[in-house]
Short mmCIF file of all heavy atoms in Angstrom, two decimals:
data_model
loop_
_atom_site.label_atom_id
_atom_site.label_comp_id
_atom_site.label_asym_id
_atom_site.label_seq_id
_atom_site.Cartn_x
_atom_site.Cartn_y
_atom_site.Cartn_z
N TYR O 105 17.44 1.72 -10.88
CA TYR O 105 16.27 1.03 -11.45
C TYR O 105 15.18 1.99 -11.90
O TYR O 105 14.17 1.58 -12.45
CB TYR O 105 15.68 0.09 -10.37
CG TYR O 105 15.60 0.77 -9.01
CD1 TYR O 105 14.57 1.64 -8.69
CD2 TYR O 105 16.60 0.57 -8.05
CE1 TYR O 105 14.51 2.28 -7.47
CE2 TYR O 105 16.56 1.21 -6.82
CZ TYR O 105 15.51 2.06 -6.54
OH TYR O 105 15.46 2.71 -5.33
N CYS O 106 15.36 3.29 -11.63
CA CYS O 106 14.24 4.22 -11.79
C CYS O 106 14.43 5.14 -12.98
O CYS O 106 15.51 5.73 -13.16
CB CYS O 106 14.09 5.04 -10.51
SG CYS O 106 12.79 6.28 -10.64
N VAL O 143 2.77 11.48 -5.74
CA VAL O 143 4.11 10.89 -5.86
C VAL O 143 5.09 11.94 -6.39
O VAL O 143 4.77 12.69 -7.31
CB VAL O 143 4.07 9.67 -6.82
CG1 VAL O 143 5.43 8.96 -6.83
CG2 VAL O 143 2.98 8.69 -6.42
N TYR O 144 6.29 11.96 -5.81
CA TYR O 144 7.32 12.96 -6.16
C TYR O 144 8.68 12.31 -6.28
O TYR O 144 9.00 11.36 -5.55
CB TYR O 144 7.46 14.00 -5.04
CG TYR O 144 6.21 14.78 -4.72
CD1 TYR O 144 5.23 14.23 -3.90
CD2 TYR O 144 6.02 16.06 -5.23
CE1 TYR O 144 4.08 14.94 -3.60
CE2 TYR O 144 4.87 16.78 -4.92
CZ TYR O 144 3.91 16.22 -4.11
OH TYR O 144 2.78 16.93 -3.80
N GLY O 145 9.54 12.85 -7.15
CA GLY O 145 10.97 12.55 -7.11
C GLY O 145 11.57 13.28 -5.91
O GLY O 145 10.85 13.92 -5.14
N GLU O 146 12.88 13.20 -5.76
CA GLU O 146 13.50 13.91 -4.63
C GLU O 146 14.24 15.13 -5.17
O GLU O 146 15.23 14.99 -5.91
CB GLU O 146 14.46 12.98 -3.87
CG GLU O 146 15.16 13.72 -2.73
CD GLU O 146 15.66 12.81 -1.62
OE1 GLU O 146 15.54 11.59 -1.75
OE2 GLU O 146 16.17 13.35 -0.62
N ASN O 178 3.77 9.69 -1.34
CA ASN O 178 4.99 8.88 -1.52
C ASN O 178 6.05 9.83 -2.04
O ASN O 178 6.00 10.26 -3.20
CB ASN O 178 4.75 7.72 -2.49
CG ASN O 178 5.96 6.80 -2.56
OD1 ASN O 178 7.10 7.23 -2.48
ND2 ASN O 178 5.70 5.51 -2.71
N ALA O 179 6.96 10.21 -1.17
CA ALA O 179 8.00 11.18 -1.54
C ALA O 179 9.22 10.90 -0.68
O ALA O 179 9.22 10.00 0.15
CB ALA O 179 7.49 12.60 -1.29
N ALA O 180 10.25 11.72 -0.90
CA ALA O 180 11.49 11.52 -0.15
C ALA O 180 11.22 11.71 1.35
O ALA O 180 10.31 12.44 1.74
CB ALA O 180 12.52 12.54 -0.62
N PHE O 201 9.61 3.76 0.98
CA PHE O 201 10.06 2.37 0.82
C PHE O 201 11.56 2.30 1.04
O PHE O 201 12.31 3.13 0.51
CB PHE O 201 9.74 1.85 -0.59
CG PHE O 201 8.28 1.92 -0.96
CD1 PHE O 201 7.88 1.91 -2.29
CD2 PHE O 201 7.30 1.99 0.01
CE1 PHE O 201 6.53 1.97 -2.64
CE2 PHE O 201 5.95 2.04 -0.32
CZ PHE O 201 5.57 2.04 -1.66
N GLU O 203 13.28 0.09 -0.22
CA GLU O 203 13.70 -0.52 -1.50
C GLU O 203 14.38 -1.87 -1.24
O GLU O 203 13.89 -2.88 -1.67
CB GLU O 203 14.62 0.39 -2.35
CG GLU O 203 14.24 1.87 -2.39
CD GLU O 203 12.88 2.17 -3.04
OE1 GLU O 203 12.13 1.25 -3.33
OE2 GLU O 203 12.57 3.37 -3.23
N LYS O 219 19.60 9.90 -1.18
CA LYS O 219 19.06 8.55 -0.95
C LYS O 219 20.17 7.51 -0.74
O LYS O 219 19.89 6.38 -0.34
CB LYS O 219 18.15 8.16 -2.11
CG LYS O 219 17.25 6.97 -1.82
CD LYS O 219 16.13 6.87 -2.83
CE LYS O 219 15.44 5.52 -2.78
NZ LYS O 219 14.37 5.41 -3.77
N ARG O 225 17.66 6.42 5.66
CA ARG O 225 16.37 5.97 5.12
C ARG O 225 15.72 4.95 6.06
O ARG O 225 14.50 4.92 6.22
CB ARG O 225 16.57 5.38 3.73
CG ARG O 225 15.24 5.24 2.97
CD ARG O 225 15.48 5.18 1.50
NE ARG O 225 14.27 4.98 0.73
CZ ARG O 225 13.63 5.93 0.06
NH1 ARG O 225 14.05 7.17 0.09
NH2 ARG O 225 12.55 5.65 -0.64
N LEU O 245 11.23 -2.87 -2.76
CA LEU O 245 11.17 -3.03 -4.21
C LEU O 245 11.78 -4.39 -4.51
O LEU O 245 13.01 -4.54 -4.51
CB LEU O 245 11.95 -1.89 -4.87
CG LEU O 245 11.99 -1.86 -6.39
CD1 LEU O 245 10.59 -1.87 -6.99
CD2 LEU O 245 12.74 -0.62 -6.87
N ARG O 280 7.20 -4.97 -7.39
CA ARG O 280 8.24 -5.76 -8.06
C ARG O 280 8.84 -4.89 -9.14
O ARG O 280 8.13 -4.11 -9.78
CB ARG O 280 7.58 -6.97 -8.74
CG ARG O 280 7.96 -8.25 -8.11
CD ARG O 280 7.63 -9.47 -8.93
NE ARG O 280 6.33 -9.59 -9.56
CZ ARG O 280 5.96 -10.66 -10.26
NH1 ARG O 280 6.79 -11.66 -10.43
NH2 ARG O 280 4.77 -10.73 -10.80
N LEU O 281 10.14 -5.05 -9.36
CA LEU O 281 10.83 -4.24 -10.36
C LEU O 281 10.19 -4.36 -11.73
O LEU O 281 9.89 -5.47 -12.18
CB LEU O 281 12.27 -4.72 -10.50
CG LEU O 281 13.31 -4.08 -9.63
CD1 LEU O 281 14.65 -4.76 -9.87
CD2 LEU O 281 13.43 -2.59 -9.89
N GLN O 282 10.01 -3.24 -12.40
CA GLN O 282 9.52 -3.22 -13.78
C GLN O 282 10.57 -2.53 -14.64
O GLN O 282 11.39 -1.78 -14.14
CB GLN O 282 8.21 -2.42 -13.87
CG GLN O 282 7.15 -2.85 -12.90
CD GLN O 282 6.68 -4.28 -13.14
OE1 GLN O 282 6.56 -4.72 -14.28
NE2 GLN O 282 6.47 -5.01 -12.06
N ALA O 284 12.40 0.09 -16.89
CA ALA O 284 12.40 1.55 -16.84
C ALA O 284 13.50 2.05 -17.78
O ALA O 284 14.35 1.27 -18.22
CB ALA O 284 12.69 2.02 -15.42
N ARG O 321 1.60 -2.21 -11.17
CA ARG O 321 2.82 -2.80 -11.74
C ARG O 321 2.53 -4.26 -12.09
O ARG O 321 3.15 -4.83 -12.97
CB ARG O 321 3.96 -2.76 -10.73
CG ARG O 321 4.48 -1.36 -10.40
CD ARG O 321 5.51 -1.49 -9.29
NE ARG O 321 6.09 -0.24 -8.85
CZ ARG O 321 5.56 0.56 -7.92
NH1 ARG O 321 4.40 0.26 -7.39
NH2 ARG O 321 6.18 1.67 -7.55
N GLN O 363 7.97 6.62 -14.98
CA GLN O 363 9.00 6.12 -14.08
C GLN O 363 9.37 4.67 -14.40
O GLN O 363 10.51 4.26 -14.29
CB GLN O 363 8.48 6.23 -12.65
CG GLN O 363 9.54 6.02 -11.60
CD GLN O 363 8.94 5.86 -10.22
OE1 GLN O 363 7.73 5.78 -10.05
NE2 GLN O 363 9.79 5.82 -9.21
N PHE O 364 8.36 3.89 -14.77
CA PHE O 364 8.57 2.47 -15.12
C PHE O 364 7.32 2.04 -15.88
O PHE O 364 6.37 2.81 -16.02
CB PHE O 364 8.76 1.61 -13.86
CG PHE O 364 7.75 1.88 -12.77
CD1 PHE O 364 6.47 1.37 -12.85
CD2 PHE O 364 8.07 2.69 -11.69
CE1 PHE O 364 5.53 1.64 -11.86
CE2 PHE O 364 7.14 2.96 -10.69
CZ PHE O 364 5.87 2.44 -10.80
N1 LIG U 1 11.35 9.53 -5.02
C1 LIG U 1 10.84 9.07 -3.79
C2 LIG U 1 11.62 7.90 -3.26
O1 LIG U 1 12.41 7.35 -3.99
O2 LIG U 1 11.41 7.59 -2.10
C3 LIG U 1 9.42 8.73 -3.99
C4 LIG U 1 9.10 7.44 -4.50
S1 LIG U 1 9.36 6.86 -6.11
C5 LIG U 1 8.67 8.05 -7.15
C6 LIG U 1 8.17 5.59 -5.82
C7 LIG U 1 8.69 4.19 -5.73
O3 LIG U 1 8.73 3.66 -7.03
C8 LIG U 1 10.09 3.95 -5.22
O4 LIG U 1 10.15 3.99 -3.81
C9 LIG U 1 10.41 2.58 -5.79
O5 LIG U 1 10.10 1.55 -4.87
C10 LIG U 1 9.45 2.46 -6.97
N2 LIG U 1 10.16 2.24 -8.23
C11 LIG U 1 11.18 2.96 -8.74
N3 LIG U 1 11.62 2.39 -9.90
C12 LIG U 1 10.86 1.30 -10.13
C13 LIG U 1 10.83 0.30 -11.15
N4 LIG U 1 11.69 0.30 -12.16
N5 LIG U 1 9.89 -0.67 -11.05
C14 LIG U 1 9.01 -0.70 -10.04
N6 LIG U 1 8.99 0.22 -9.05
C15 LIG U 1 9.90 1.20 -9.08
#
Side-chain angles (χ1 to χ4, degrees):
Y105 45 80
C106 177
V143 186
Y144 300 81
E146 178 157 4
N178 186 324
F201 302 159
E203 319 296 9
K219 196 164 165 181
R225 195 158 177 103
L245 181 55
R280 248 194 314 182
L281 270 177
Q282 308 297 322
R321 292 174 181 86
Q363 192 191 7
F364 47 78

